[in-house]
Amino acid sequence: MNTITRLADRAMAQKPKTAGARDINSMSSNRPIKVIAVTGGKGGVGKTNMSVNLSIALAEMQRRVILMDADLGLANVDVLLGLQAKHTLADVLDGSMSLREVMLNGPGGIKIVPASSGVQQMTQLSPQEHASLINAFSEVSDQLDILMIDTAAGISDTVISFVQAAQEAIIVVCDEPSSITDAYALIKLLNAEHGVFRFRVIANMTRSTQEGINLFNKLNSVCDRFLDASLQYLGHVPFDENVRKAVQKRQPLMTFAPRSKAALSIRAMAQKIDQWPVQTTARGHLEFFLERLLQSASVSGY
Ligand SMILES: Nc1ncnc2c1ncn2[C@@H]1O[C@H](COP(=O)(O)OP(=O)(O)O)[C@@H](O)[C@H]1O
Ligand SMILES: [Mg+2]
C-alpha cells in the first residue's frame, strides 16, 4: 500500500460514521462563529500577547474560544504559556488524530491548536489532507464561538491565506516607523490583491490614550489616500511592565495581573469584539473560512 492510499484510508477512518462522508459543502455547523486573525506585519509588536489575552478575556465572558497558533516562530503561543505540544496539526492532516486530541487546554478555559509545520502545510494540502482538515474542524464547529488565529510576522503566503480567509483582521501596531510601514504594506497587499477591505486596529505599547489615537490617524490617513480600505480603531493597550513580567513567568497577563492597565484595556476590547455582529450568511460559518483558506492555497500554494 503506498503512502497516499494509506493516508486516504486513515482520513476515511476518521470520518464520523453518523454523518457519512463530509465535504466542505455538507459540513453541518448550524451556528455562525467569529473567525479573527491577529496580524500586523512586524514582529515584536505584541500580536501573540494580544491573541492570547483577548482569547482569555473572551473566555471570561463565557465564549468558547479556540486559539490557533499559525506562527512557527520562536516566541509562539506554546512558548509564551509554557505549554508543550505532544502532537501537532500535522497529525490531524495525516488523519491519525482528531483536532480534540491535538488541542491543548490553555489558561482560562481556552483551547489551543499548537503551532506546527502543519500550519504551513495548510496552504499546500493534498486532497487527503484537505479531507482530514475539514473533518477535524467539523467535529469542533458546534462547540465553538470564536476561532482566534495568531499569525507570524511578515507577509508570507501563509499569513495572507489566514487573514483573507478570516472574517475579521486585527492589525496590531505600535508607534515606531517600521511598525507603521509594515502594517501599511500588509494592509495594502490584503486590500489590493486579496479583497480584504475592513481592518480593525489596535495601538499597542502606547504611553497615552492620545498616542494611540494619533497612531491610528496616521495609519488611517495613508490608507484613506491610497487604498479602498476601511480602518476601524479598536483601542489602545498601554505600555505595561506586567506584560513583560507575565511573559517571563510563562503566564498570560490576564491571570498574572488581571487588574493591570493593559489587562483592563484588553478586556474592554474583548467587550467590543463580542459586540461585533455575527455574520449570519455563509460567511459566518467555519466552513466558509476553510473554503477560503483552501481556495487561496490552490492559487498560491503551488
Ligand atoms: N502592552 C505592552 N506593554 C509592554 N510590553 C509589551 C506589551 N505588548 C507586548 N510587549 C512586549 O513585547 C514582546 C513581544 O510581544 P509578542 O506578543 O511576542 O509580539 P509578536 O507576536 O508581535 O512578535 C513581549 O514579550 C513583551 O515583552
Ligand atoms: Mg508572535
Side-chain angles (χ1 to χ4, degrees), residues 44 46-49 71 75-76 150-153:
K47 297 178 293 297
T48 302
N49 274 279
D71 181 7
N76 60 20
D150 179 29
T151 69

Side-chain angles (χ1 to χ4, degrees), residues 11 17 23 27 43 53 66-67 103 105 119 153 155 160 172 174 207 210-211 213 216 221 253 297 300:
K17 293 193 173 53
D23 63 26
M27 226 173 101
N53 289 297
I66 293 181
L67 170 57
M103 282 191 301
N105 289 318
V119 159
I155 50 173
I160 298 297
V172 183
C174 56
R207 302 281 172 182
Q210 193 57 44
E211 187 191 294
I213 295 168
F216 172 75
S221 70
L253 176 77
S300 68

Side-chain angles (χ1 to χ4, degrees), residues 142-156:
D142 284 337
Q143 303 119 48
L144 175 64
D145 299 308
I146 293 159
L147 176 64
M148 186 81 73
I149 303 162
D150 179 29
T151 69
I155 50 173
S156 64

Side-chain angles (χ1 to χ4, degrees), residues 42-51 71 75-76 80 150-151 153 172 204-206 237-245 247-248 253 262 266:
K42 192 174 180 296
V45 292
K47 297 178 293 297
T48 302
N49 274 279
M50 214 62 85
S51 333
D71 181 7
N76 60 20
L80 201 74
D150 179 29
T151 69
V172 183
N204 190 22
M205 303 191 224
T206 55
V237 178
F239 184 91
D240 187 334
E241 273 301 322
N242 288 299
V243 180
R244 197 180 47 80
K245 287 185 195 154
V247 171
Q248 274 172 352
L253 176 77
I266 289 172

Side-chain angles (χ1 to χ4, degrees), residues 38-256:
V38 179
T39 189
K42 192 174 180 296
V45 292
K47 297 178 293 297
T48 302
N49 274 279
M50 214 62 85
S51 333
V52 165
N53 289 297
L54 279 174
S55 295
I56 295 171
L58 286 157
E60 286 175 359
M61 299 158 61
Q62 313 306 318
R63 303 293 168 240
R64 294 166 301 176
V65 186
I66 293 181
L67 170 57
M68 181 158 180
D69 190 351
D71 181 7
L72 265 177
L74 289 177
N76 60 20
V77 174
D78 330 8
V79 174
L80 201 74
L81 297 175
L83 298 170
Q84 265 163 11
K86 290 199 194 73
H87 305 289
T88 71
L89 206 56
D91 300 302
V92 175
L93 293 177
D94 77 10
S96 61
M97 285 195 158
S98 70
L99 200 54
R100 264 196 218 99
E101 290 171 305
V102 165
M103 282 191 301
L104 302 169
N105 289 318
I110 64 169
K111 303 272 183 199
I112 294 160
V113 181
S116 78
S117 54
V119 159
Q120 264 142 359
Q121 246 174 286
M122 269 172 98
T123 56
Q124 302 174 17
L125 298 184
S126 69
Q128 287 75 26
E129 291 169 330
H130 190 130
S132 300
L133 182 75
I134 290 161
N135 271 325
F137 273 94
S138 70
E139 269 182 32
V140 299
S141 66
D142 284 337
Q143 303 119 48
L144 175 64
D145 299 308
I146 293 159
L147 176 64
M148 186 81 73
I149 303 162
D150 179 29
T151 69
I155 50 173
S156 64
D157 284 350
T158 311
V159 171
I160 298 297
S161 293
F162 277 102
V163 182
Q164 61 84 37
Q167 297 150 16
E168 301 283 354
I170 294 182
I171 307 284
V172 183
V173 275
C174 56
D175 198 6
E176 283 169 27
S178 59
S179 169
I180 299 172
T181 50
D182 285 9
Y184 176 71
L186 176 67
I187 292 171
K188 184 178 169 191
L189 182 63
L190 285 161
N191 181 244
E193 302 200 9
H194 300 274
V196 181
F197 102 104
R198 185 179 57 205
F199 300 86
R200 318 273 191 171
V201 178
I202 296 177
N204 190 22
M205 303 191 224
T206 55
R207 302 281 172 182
S208 68
T209 305
Q210 193 57 44
E211 187 191 294
I213 295 168
N214 294 347
L215 178 52
F216 172 75
N217 287 340
K218 232 183 275 180
L219 187 61
N220 194 31
S221 70
V222 59
C223 289
D224 228 21
R225 191 148 12 121
F226 300 111
L227 307 176
D228 178 27
S230 155
L231 268 61
Q232 291 168 20
Y233 189 45
L234 185 52
H236 76 286
V237 178
F239 184 91
D240 187 334
E241 273 301 322
N242 288 299
V243 180
R244 197 180 47 80
K245 287 185 195 154
V247 171
Q248 274 172 352
K249 295 254 188 244
R250 303 274 190 267
Q251 275 184 42
L253 176 77
M254 299 315 271
T255 59
F256 175 76

